[in-house]
């Protein structure tokens, strides 16, 4: 049996990636999943990770994200791909490099090593970055009820965005950058072009 496809969507908060990831998965009957929190263990980790009233160090935050990811890869992503089904994930390892590494200043080399430990060889076929300016994301977001990350300052989100762009530029074979500031239809068309390019057109 051939292995399923594995596509990841990344971007800063309010980039529109969650809506697009769900659409792509629905149209292909693929398994939609997300990080952090799409396992029973992950539900508890997510609650702690997003709780703005429970401060933790950037390293603690990184290790909890990695614990979530390791469990997610082992119990959801890998088994689904091995069964021949495809997976579309809203966030994966690049979120840790962008948010905890570029955003919070955690050592990038150590984060990369820990990521390798967490996911082994479970790599996406392609990572689609929906890139939007921080001001556009800020306008899109509700201004109340912000979680720990959404309440971070503009400079933090600028570093995260720049981090994503660096990751994409460093590995063009596995990344595609799409302008996420356009309307839903325009972004959808651009995403479909990428998926057709990797041989996974919609139905
Ligand atoms: P998510 O549920 O994708 O929120 P949103 O839809 O608002 O983007 O992710 C929750 C938050 O967790 C988000 O602000 C990014 C952050 N995050 C990290 O900081 N590091 C990580 O490794 C992951 C997976 C998420």
């Amino acid at each position: 049996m051939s292995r399923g496809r594995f596509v990841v969507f990344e971007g800063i908060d309010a980039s529109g990636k969650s809506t697009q990831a769900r659409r792509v998965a629905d149209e292909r009957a693929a398994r939609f999943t997300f990080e952090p929190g799409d396992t029973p263990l992950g539900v508890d980790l997510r609650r702690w990770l997003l709780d703005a009233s429970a401060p933790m160090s950037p390293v603690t935050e990184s290790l909890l994200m990695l614990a979530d990811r390791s469990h997610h890869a082992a119990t959801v992503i890998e088994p689904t791909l091995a069964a021949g089904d495809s997976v579309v994930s809203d966030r994966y390892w690049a979120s840790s490099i962008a948010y905890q590494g570029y955003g919070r200043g955690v050592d990038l080399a150590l984060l990369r090593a820990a990521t390798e430990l967490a996911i082994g060889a479970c790599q996406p076929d392609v990572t689609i970055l929906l890139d939007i300016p921080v001001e556009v994301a800020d306008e899109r977001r509700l201004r109340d009820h912000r979680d720990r990350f959404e309440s971070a300052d503009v400079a933090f989100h600028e570093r995260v965005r720049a981090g994503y762009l660096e990751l994409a530029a460093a590995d063009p074979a596995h990344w595609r950058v799409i302008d996420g500031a356009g309307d839903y239809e325009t972004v959808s068309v651009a995403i479909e072009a990428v998926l057709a390019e990797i041989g996974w057109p919609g139905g």
Side-chain angles (χ1 to χ4, degrees), residues 6-18 21-22 32-38 46 50 65 68-69 72-73 77 87-100 119 124 126-130 141 147 149-150 156-157 160-161 164 175:
F6 182 19
V7 170
V8 171
F9 283 84
E10 294 278 1
I12 60 174
D13 304 308
S15 58
K17 66 184 172 35
S18 308
R22 279 186 192 276
F32 168 80
T33 187
F34 62 89
E35 293 186 357
D38 199 18
R46 181 180 176 92
L50 299 195
M65 289 290 184
D68 173 72
R69 180 161 308 124
H72 185 216
I77 301 172
V87 174
V88 179
S89 187
D90 179 358
R91 301 194 179 283
Y92 195 46
W93 63 261
S95 284
S96 288
I97 306 293
Y99 281 78
Q100 281 65 53
I119 66 168
V126 69
T127 298
I128 298 175
L129 172 60
L130 294 192
R141 268 184 284 152
D147 66 32
F149 297 95
E150 288 167 341
F156 172 80
H157 291 284
V160 173
R161 181 186 182 207
Y164 272 131
W175 283 76

Side-chain angles (χ1 to χ4, degrees), residues 2-124:
S2 70
R3 207 173 148 81
R5 308 273 183 178
F6 182 19
V7 170
V8 171
F9 283 84
E10 294 278 1
I12 60 174
D13 304 308
S15 58
K17 66 184 172 35
S18 308
T19 313
Q20 289 291 349
R22 279 186 192 276
R23 179 188 63 74
V24 165
D26 283 355
E27 289 177 1
R28 291 163 172 82
R31 170 74 150 87
F32 168 80
T33 187
F34 62 89
E35 293 186 357
D38 199 18
T39 63
L41 170 63
V43 169
D44 282 347
L45 292 172
R46 181 180 176 92
R47 185 167 54 78
W48 285 105
L49 280 162
L50 299 195
D51 186 350
S53 68
M56 61 180 72
S57 78
V59 170
T60 302
E61 185 179 279
S62 303
L63 293 172
L64 292 183
M65 289 290 184
L66 284 157
D68 173 72
R69 180 161 308 124
S70 164
H71 192 61
H72 185 216
T75 64
V76 176
I77 301 172
E78 251 322 308
T80 306
L81 296 174
D85 293 322
S86 295
V87 174
V88 179
S89 187
D90 179 358
R91 301 194 179 283
Y92 195 46
W93 63 261
S95 284
S96 288
I97 306 293
Y99 281 78
Q100 281 65 53
Y102 287 88
R104 304 256 197 246
V106 175
D107 185 278
L108 288 172
L110 292 176
L111 265 184
R112 282 188 178 278
T115 296
E116 205 179 317
L117 179 69
I119 66 168
C122 187
Q123 287 287 353

